[in-house]
Structures are given as structure tokens and as C-alpha cells.
Amino acid sequence: MKCSLLLTEIYDRLFEIYGECVCPLKHDSPFQLLAAVMLSAQCRDERVNQVTATLFKQAPDAVSMSKMEVAEIAEIIHPCGLSGSKSKNLHASATLIAGKFHGTVPTAMEELTSLPGIGRKSANVILGNCFGIPGFPVDTHVKRVLNRIGAVKSDSPEKIEEIVNRNTPPELWTNFSHLIIQHGRKVCHSRSPECGICVLNDICKKRNIKK
């Protein structure tokens, strides 16, 4: 099956189950999503939402966040892990947004990825969910599921993003990533995937694997 047809089939089948997805990270502004995405590295979304509920009461925007001490941010976000590096990146990004970008999160990939702690995956999440700018974020679930099925053969997030973007229409990109992440969390687990109940079983190259 051609790559474009395979990816479209994957999208259609997953859409039947999960539909139009909403970003699970709670936020009221692009800056708040930026902060939440930064905190979500190696941390569950539920924990991030608990922490940001406290963090955003004290600093709901870039200007107020830039005025906090790094140590103060680190103390609040400690439950998310990696609080040392995350607090530094969060404070540095908030300071840049408050100054260089006049308090507004930029909408260009190059400018977003110039912020400390923001790579292409995070930038695509922000662009797609806050600004309606098509982007295909590639996380560990997306990489695992698409490689298992055989839609891609690469460990490079940038290469996977390029393949999907080249073979699917832009209006699908943001939700497609959400769909695959949902499926990776609920069915196509890292270990012991539930192949018996997977709607992609018949088109998966590695169906019925043990890990």
C-alpha cells in the first residue's frame, strides 16, 4: 500500500474511535500551553495540569513569569521532574517573550524554536492547538506506532514529520498526532501492545508482537 494511502487509512480508522481530539494540557493562552508543554517532558499530562493550576495562579502570562525567581518556579514545578532545567528554560523563555516578542508567543517555527526548551515537537503542538497552524508533533508514541505499522522506517522525529506532512493534507496533521498518541497510550503500548483489539491489526507489519 502506498504511504499516502496507508497513512490516510490509519487516520480514518483512528478517527472512527477517537474523533476530533483536544489537547489534554489545560491552558487559557498560547503562553500557558507553551509552559505546560515544556513541563510535560517525561511527565504525565495529569501531573502537569495539577502543577500548572498552581503555577498559573501566580504567573498566568510571560510578563509575570519573567518576574519570578528561577528557584521559585523550580519549587512549584518540582513534581513534574527535571525542575532545575525546566525552571531555567521556562524563565528564560518567558523573559524573551515578554521582551523581544512584546509579551506575545510568536507564531513562526523559527522564532518558537529559538526559545529555550522548545523544539519542533513542542512548537508544532503550540502552533496547531493555539493558532490553527498545521503541524505534526512527533513524540515517542507517534514514533513507535508509525514504525510498528510500517508507515515509516525512521527514529528521526524530523524525518517522520516530513514523511507524514508530504503524504497527508495539512488539515489533518494536528489531529492525526493526537489520534496516534491516544492509540499509543490506550492500545499500542510500548510493551505488550493489545494487538487483539487494535483496529490497525490487519495493516500492521508487527502485529501480535510481544514488545
Side-chain angles (χ1 to χ4, degrees), residues 7-28:
L7 287 169
T8 299
E9 184 69 17
I10 294 168
Y11 181 93
D12 290 343
R13 294 190 189 190
L14 294 183
F15 187 84
E16 283 293 316
I17 300 174
Y18 306 111
E20 196 69 34
C21 301
V22 177
C23 180
L25 296 171
K26 296 180 180 179
H27 61 282
D28 292 323

Side-chain angles (χ1 to χ4, degrees), residues 62 66 90-104 114-116:
S66 68
L90 187 51
H91 185 267
S93 290
T95 301
L96 278 172
I97 293 169
K100 181 178 179 180
F101 298 109
H102 311 290
T104 301
S114 73
L115 299 172

Side-chain angles (χ1 to χ4, degrees), residues 157-178:
E158 292 80 10
K159 179 63 175 177
I160 295 170
E161 179 187 352
E162 187 272 327
I163 292 171
V164 172
N165 289 357
R166 177 161 36 89
N167 289 281
T168 59
E171 59 268 23
L172 300 186
W173 295 347
T174 299
N175 196 52
F176 199 4
S177 178
H178 282 310

